[in-house]
Amino acid sequence: MSNDIPKQNLTSPFDLNDDGYVWLKGNLHSHTTNSDGKPEPQERVDGYVNQGYDFLCVSDHYKITRTDTLTAPDNFVLVQGAELHPENPFGGQTHHFLAYNIDEDMDSKNMPPQHVINEVNRQGGSIWLAHPHWSSVNILRDTLPLTGLAGVEVFNTTCMWHGRGESSVHWDDWMNLIDRPLPTLGNDDSHAREQDNRDTYQGWNMVRVKERSAKAIIDALEHGSAYASTGPEIHDIQLKRVDDPGDDKQVVEATVRCSEARRIFAVCDTYGNQYVTDGTFEEATFTLRPNARWVRFEIIDPEGSKAWSNPFDLKKIGR
Ligand SMILES: [Zn+2]
Ligand SMILES: [Zn+2]
């Protein structure tokens, strides 16, 4: 079992009953001519601005693309970061980590992975496991020996083109091994130009924040005040304990409200549930299994696009 220390307690974005919050949309994984991406950095930024996004990280391989070399409207947030690749001493492929809110470059290629994680955290940054399915990561072998990662990228558009875009099994596996919920990201990992219509504007994060700043956005993601999507909107998720009619125990009942859905899944560490009915719907209520420790929700819309909620710690749902 890992000695991993919880970096954050997760807070549902739907429990923040304060009018000062706004939802922002953004992509936190993109490449440019500063590494192996096709567009110049400014062209990459302009594309996401023109598509109505609120934030972007130009996360080139190994090296920070500095936000002060880029221009964007005042209300658009540029998150400074990089994708870092320490070697993997545990037997798997080279690591892919996304580092945000860092200011100093490091020689990640020649550093042990734990040193890279420590250095990002020392700088006050945030470091996440990118696309573990595409990278053939085995969580037990490659990730569990490490401490200080914030969470995992569950969806990655460019990896989807290679048939390995979704890493939900890795996410669930990791949470089960450390017995606590971990927050998630959904990103494009855009390398191509937008006119190639390949890996731009298809996977994003919706983040609930009080201010438009890189710090507020990354804090909200680390706290789970966000969800990932390729289309559907999640409007509300509420959980409460209710009496189990067939038993003398209490169970958790979950209600999800969202944009038009065809299916909703309640994914637990025990067995999941599916909500499906004739036609489409915008609300579903689940009774979760009594021994489940965490639950997260996946919403599928009529076109097959998907949203992933952050997980909820069922031990913390009041009795
Ligand atoms: Zn990568
Ligand atoms: Zn990448």
Side-chain angles (χ1 to χ4, degrees), residues 241-285:
R241 276 190 195 276
V242 295
D243 290 329
D244 182 353
D247 207 328
D248 54 2
K249 276 192 240 154
Q250 287 202 314
V251 291
V252 173
E253 190 178 271
T255 299
V256 179
R257 293 184 186 87
C258 56
S259 56
E260 190 180 35
R262 198 181 57 193
R263 287 194 166 79
I264 301 181
F265 297 100
V267 181
C268 295
D269 62 308
T270 55
Y271 302 97
N273 286 315
Q274 181 182 185
Y275 187 96
V276 60
T277 183
D278 290 341
T280 59
F281 49 90
E282 294 180 358
E283 180 173 330
T285 296

Side-chain angles (χ1 to χ4, degrees), residues 59-299:
S59 58
D60 279 303
H61 298 287
Y62 294 109
K63 194 163 165 41
I64 297 168
T65 292
R66 307 205 75 87
T67 54
D68 60 10
T69 64
L70 304 166
T71 54
D74 284 347
N75 63 355
F76 190 91
V77 181
L78 290 165
V79 177
Q80 184 162 285
E83 187 170 9
L84 304 176
H85 302 281
E87 287 302 315
N88 182 345
F90 312 118
Q93 308 288 322
T94 299
H95 288 291
H96 291 240
F97 295 149
L98 289 160
Y100 303 122
N101 291 343
I102 53 170
D103 200 46
E104 298 164 44
D105 277 309
M106 65 195 84
D107 185 14
S108 64
K109 197 176 200 160
N110 294 306
M111 290 162 70
Q114 188 61 58
H115 290 196
V116 171
I117 296 168
N118 294 350
E119 175 57 19
V120 170
N121 285 318
R122 186 197 66 77
Q123 292 187 29
S126 180
I127 182 163
W128 297 65
L129 177 63
H131 53 65
H133 189 196
W134 181 86
S135 317
S136 296
V137 167
N138 178 298
I139 296 290
L140 181 63
R141 178 191 63 194
D142 302 319
T143 312
L144 221 59
L146 302 169
T147 66
L149 289 165
V152 57
E153 186 182 64
V154 68
F155 179 80
N156 180 301
T157 305
T158 210
C159 295
M160 186 181 67
W161 286 93
H162 302 274
R164 303 181 99 176
E166 186 172 344
S167 295
S168 52
V169 173
H170 297 74
W171 184 17
D172 294 349
D173 200 28
W174 193 4
M175 293 194 287
N176 287 340
L177 285 163
I178 63 176
D179 193 22
R180 70 177 170 85
L182 284 164
T184 201
L185 299 174
N187 288 322
D188 277 333
D189 197 0
S190 30
H191 287 74
R193 286 209 156 86
E194 65 178 19
Q195 50 267 41
D196 298 330
N197 204 14
R198 182 180 167 86
D199 56 9
T200 47
Y201 323 133
Q202 294 169 62
W204 57 84
N205 302 284
M206 295 300 299
V207 177
R208 200 167 183 208
V209 289
K210 270 195 173 167
E211 57 170 61
R212 288 175 181 259
S213 72
K215 180 169 186 334
I217 288 165
I218 299 303
D219 271 2
L221 284 157
E222 285 196 338
H223 282 97
S225 262
Y227 63 88
S229 185
T230 65
E233 292 171 16
I234 306 180
H235 298 150
D236 193 22
I237 299 174
Q238 294 296 327
L239 296 96
K240 63 177 182 202
R241 276 190 195 276
V242 295
D243 290 329
D244 182 353
D247 207 328
D248 54 2
K249 276 192 240 154
Q250 287 202 314
V251 291
V252 173
E253 190 178 271
T255 299
V256 179
R257 293 184 186 87
C258 56
S259 56
E260 190 180 35
R262 198 181 57 193
R263 287 194 166 79
I264 301 181
F265 297 100
V267 181
C268 295
D269 62 308
T270 55
Y271 302 97
N273 286 315
Q274 181 182 185
Y275 187 96
V276 60
T277 183
D278 290 341
T280 59
F281 49 90
E282 294 180 358
E283 180 173 330
T285 296
F286 298 87
T287 302
L288 305 178
R289 289 173 193 264
N291 54 342
R293 293 175 299 172
W294 54 259
V295 61
R296 59 179 185 80
F297 299 92
E298 296 183 357
I299 290 117

